[in-house]
């Protein structure tokens, strides 16, 4: 069985806001030994497909630094294209954030979240979503302060966590060792109010039952509730007040 944590226990989480100087939102999010830097950038324009529609856009980019892992990996820029995994993860981050944003409340504004993995020990996509949500809130607070928008478009927080079956035990928040040998690996993305945004699940050795899935769902739901509470604690006051109004 896993060392140092109960099956239901999250890895230690830290959220450090305003980590870099220039980004409108900047969060260093750590979950155990996984560390992701999430920077938010505001632009007063939208992609061509949204021009004239009087709404905004939230998008994300994701990358893993060469020595985020035990052995150096090549920068994707050198190959001239992103891997399928990178594209999948950054689309997931963007979808997750847009699920809790009223894009009509931020017309003609794009916020881009750059999520860079500094150190990887499993769960990097989940950590990126969790940190990006807080960085997004900081960027929204700046838009409110500059009177570029009149109300916060953030309707809820969004969080993500893994759950799986490891050595025949259902567990929460898999690290790399657990993830690489798990019988089942699932990722849950949920709002702070407990609504599902996305579920990803794979049986690595043999099929799993609905009872197993229900158990992992409950683990994930409980874990995201804890993450949501931490996120909310770190949100700017104006954004917190707006979320209470949406509740």
């Amino acid at each position: 069985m896993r060392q140092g944590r109960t099956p239901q226990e999250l890895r230690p989480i830290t959220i450090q806001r305003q980590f870099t100087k220039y980004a409108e939102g900047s969060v260093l999010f750590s979950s155990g030994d996984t560390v992701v830097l999430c920077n938010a950038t505001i632009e007063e324009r939208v992609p061509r497909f949204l021009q004239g529609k009087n709404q905004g856009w939230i998008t994300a980019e994701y990358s893993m630094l060469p020595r985020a892992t035990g052995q150096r990996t090549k920068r994707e820029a050198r190959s001239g294209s992103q891997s399928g995994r990178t594209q999948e993860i950054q689309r997931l981050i963007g979808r997750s954030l847009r699920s809790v944003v009223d894009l009509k409340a931020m017309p003609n504004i794009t916020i881009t979240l750059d999520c860079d993995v500094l150190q990887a020990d499993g769960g990097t996509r989940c950590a990126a979503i969790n940190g990006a949500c807080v960085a997004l809130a900081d960027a929204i607070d700046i838009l409110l302060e500059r009177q570029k928008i009149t109300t916060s478009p953030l309707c809820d927080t969004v969080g993500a966590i893994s759950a799986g079956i490891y050595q025949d035990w259902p567990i929460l928040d898999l690290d790399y060792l657990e993830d690489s040998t798990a019988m089942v690996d699932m990722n849950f993305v949920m709002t702070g109010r407990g609504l599902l945004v996305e579920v990803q699940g794979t049986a690595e050795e043999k099929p799993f039952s609905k009872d197993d899935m229900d158990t992992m769902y409950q683990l994930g739901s409980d874990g995201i509730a804890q993450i949501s509470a931490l996120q909310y604690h770190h949100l700017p006051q104006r954004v917190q007040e707006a979320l209470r109004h949406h509740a």
Side-chain angles (χ1 to χ4, degrees):
M1 199 48 210
R2 67 197 330 195
Q3 298 294 319
R5 280 191 293 150
T6 67
Q8 302 83 15
E9 188 175 352
L10 292 169
R11 289 176 286 180
I13 290 174
T14 61
I15 301 175
Q16 186 175 346
R17 291 172 58 210
Q18 300 174 346
F19 188 76
T20 63
K21 180 177 180 179
Y22 299 110
E24 283 83 12
S26 182
V27 169
L28 187 72
F29 187 93
S30 301
S31 174
D33 287 334
T34 289
V35 183
V36 182
L37 175 61
C38 304
N39 284 325
T41 299
I42 297 169
E43 296 177 284
E44 293 189 46
R45 60 178 182 175
V46 290
R48 183 175 299 176
F49 71 89
L50 288 176
Q51 289 175 5
K53 295 188 176 181
N54 201 37
Q55 72 171 70
W57 188 240
I58 307 291
T59 188
E61 294 191 10
Y62 168 96
S63 68
M64 187 174 294
L65 297 187
R67 279 317 307 263
T69 53
Q71 294 182 334
R72 186 182 187 275
T73 56
K74 292 182 179 179
R75 294 183 189 272
E76 291 186 346
R78 293 192 63 186
S79 67
S81 64
Q82 293 177 319
S83 69
R85 177 183 182 273
T86 294
Q87 293 181 53
E88 176 217 344
I89 292 175
Q90 60 192 27
R91 288 170 184 162
L92 171 65
I93 299 166
R95 285 196 305 272
S96 300
L97 297 173
R98 290 192 297 273
S99 75
V100 292
V101 173
D102 177 7
L103 296 174
K104 293 288 187 182
M106 46 179 287
N108 303 313
I109 292 171
T110 294
I111 301 178
T112 301
L113 281 302
D114 288 294
C115 302
D116 294 295
V117 180
L118 308 186
Q119 186 168 278
D121 186 32
T124 61
R125 72 187 66 196
C126 295
I129 291 169
N130 295 333
C133 180
V134 180
L136 173 63
D138 277 343
I140 287 170
D141 190 55
I142 284 182
L143 288 170
L144 289 167
E145 181 182 353
R146 294 176 181 173
Q147 299 183 337
K148 298 295 184 179
I149 56 176
T150 57
T151 59
S152 171
L154 191 67
C155 305
D156 202 348
T157 57
V158 64
I161 198 65
S162 63
I165 298 177
Y166 172 70
Q167 296 181 356
D168 294 320
W169 285 86
I171 62 172
L172 179 67
D173 192 14
L174 285 69
D175 61 24
Y176 176 75
L177 177 62
E178 293 162 344
D179 179 71
S180 63
T181 58
M183 298 168 59
V184 180
D185 177 24
M186 299 193 75
N187 291 306
F188 295 91
V189 183
M190 301 175 70
T191 71
R193 297 186 180 94
L195 299 178
L196 284 166
V197 176
E198 190 147 341
V199 179
Q200 302 173 334
T202 304
E204 300 291 350
E205 294 184 5
K206 60 182 180 180
F208 59 99
S209 69
K210 182 178 181 299
D211 286 343
D212 289 333
M213 187 171 71
D214 290 343
T215 298
M216 288 182 284
Y217 163 77
Q218 192 59 57
L219 284 171
S221 179
D222 292 344
I224 289 176
Q226 296 176 58
I227 292 166
S228 297
L230 287 170
Q231 288 173 320
Y232 184 83
H233 176 73
H234 285 85
L235 298 184
Q237 184 175 354
R238 273 179 293 221
V239 179
Q240 284 186 357
E241 291 172 356
L243 285 181
R244 287 196 293 268
H245 175 74
H246 281 292

